Structures are given as structure tokens and as C-alpha cells.
Amino acid sequence: LSFRLRHLKDPRAIDVLNTVVQKSLWWNLPREEGVGRGIAWARYKNTGSWCAVAARVQAGEQLRVLNIDVAVDVGQVIDLDGVINQTEGGALQSMSWTLKESVQFDRTRVLTRSWGDYPILRFSDLPEVKVHVIDRPDQAALGAGEGAQGPTAAALGNALFDALGVRVRRLPLNQQNILDALHHQ
């Protein structure tokens, strides 16, 4: 967070980063072994909404996401519930991509043949997600789009690094890829 704030000049990017940390009820909790925090931000397609994501994970046998907080600036908010729903859905979709989803194949064919073979996020995997919307009635309405997807994946990777001290550079962030990264550091 301090690195980002030190190098950013965009006031709205700074604002979403500060907001997500200030509104998060867990960001300043005492450190716990195996629990990591990560943060990331992005501007959707460089012209859309600003979005910052803070994630808290527990690294055990499986990576478990405990909390996701999102701060989003879509300019003037036209439909608050719509912005919240779109942003929360985007964060959860990205969490599924980042932690679970993967098509399996060998040298000659795709092995994932049905939805039953394709891992996705389950209701039992869902963390607490809070969306903090910054309304700017004096600015143009930008819409939420898919602004949460990129920074959610990055925040999860950063939280895993904070928990274990290793960068996992292959998705999904599942047990096998985490163990591979740990053994190759």
C-alpha cells in the first residue's frame, strides 16, 4: 500500500486505495501465522471505473479466502445496488478464476469434458465480501463494468505471498501450484 501511494499521482486511484483500507474492518488486525493480506488496484480499460481490492487469506492445505473488501469509483452513481451487485459478482468471479478454474489437457486432447470436470467456486468457498462505493455526483457516470476482476486476482496473489513468502506465478492458486512454487524457491 505504501509503495503504491508513494508512486501514484492519480487522486482517484489514491482515493480507492485509501478507502478500501480505511473501510476494511480487518486490515489493521494483528498479524496471524499463515494469514496474509494483499491489495491491488486498477482502472478498468484505463478509461472506466477505479477499483481497489483488499483480500485476506489463510494458507493451509488449501488457500482459503477470509475477506474481500472492494472500493470502487464509478463517477456519478446511477444505481447503487447495481454497482454493488456488479462489483461483488466480479470479485467472486475473479476469485473462482484465480483459485479454482482450469481446463485440463494432455499433449493431444482436452481432458475436461463436462462441467462436472471443471472446478468452480462453491457457496462453501465464499468469503465475506464488502463493497464500498465512492459516489462522485459531479463526475460522469462510468458504470462498474468488470472493474473488480483484475485487482481481485492480484490482491489474492499478493495475500498469498504475504502469508507464505512465495510468489505463485501459475494459476489457479491451488494446492499443487502452491506446492510447486514452494519447492522451487
Side-chain angles (χ1 to χ4, degrees):
L1 175 63
S2 60
F3 174 83
R4 290 285 176 225
L5 293 174
R6 192 168 49 251
H7 295 282
L8 275 171
K9 295 190 181 1
D10 181 339
R12 290 169 81 172
I14 293 167
D15 204 17
V16 290
L17 282 165
N18 283 327
T19 298
V20 79
V21 169
Q22 290 165 1
K23 298 279 186 174
S24 164
L25 300 177
W26 50 266
W27 184 261
N28 291 311
L29 290 177
R31 308 292 275 174
E32 300 173 62
E33 188 172 336
V35 175
R37 301 172 311 176
I39 194 162
W41 84 276
R43 182 152 189 218
Y44 183 56
K45 295 186 176 181
N46 294 322
T47 60
S49 62
W50 286 259
C51 185
V53 177
R56 187 167 76 110
V57 302
Q58 183 174 34
E61 242 181 79
Q62 298 290 327
L63 184 64
R64 186 169 153 243
V65 180
L66 304 172
N67 304 88
I68 293 177
D69 276 66
V70 184
V72 63
D73 174 348
V74 297
Q76 181 183 18
V77 176
I78 305 299
D79 178 1
L80 180 61
D81 285 340
V83 172
I84 292 169
N85 292 335
Q86 180 75 12
T87 303
E88 181 178 355
L92 292 174
Q93 180 182 40
S94 181
M95 183 180 150
S96 186
W97 294 339
T98 306
L99 301 183
K100 302 274 186 176
E101 297 186 33
S102 177
V103 174
Q104 300 300 311
F105 51 91
D106 64 17
R107 292 183 152 268
T108 62
R109 67 189 190 286
V110 173
L111 301 173
T112 305
R113 305 305 286 177
S114 71
W115 284 113
D117 301 332
Y118 187 77
I120 60 170
L121 197 64
R122 305 278 184 202
F123 283 114
S124 60
D125 299 320
L126 297 180
E128 179 180 42
V129 179
K130 293 189 177 176
V131 177
H132 314 285
V133 179
I134 301 170
D135 188 12
R136 298 196 188 274
D138 59 324
Q139 298 293 319
L142 301 171
E146 294 180 334
Q149 276 84 336
T152 299
L156 291 169
N158 290 334
L160 176 58
F161 175 76
D162 187 49
L164 295 180
V166 64
R167 286 278 177 205
V168 180
R169 303 206 184 269
R170 183 179 180 150
L171 294 179
L173 300 179
N174 60 21
Q175 185 181 40
Q176 186 60 56
N177 290 338
I178 293 169
L179 287 173
D180 289 347
L182 285 167
H183 288 109
H184 290 100
Q185 62 173 341

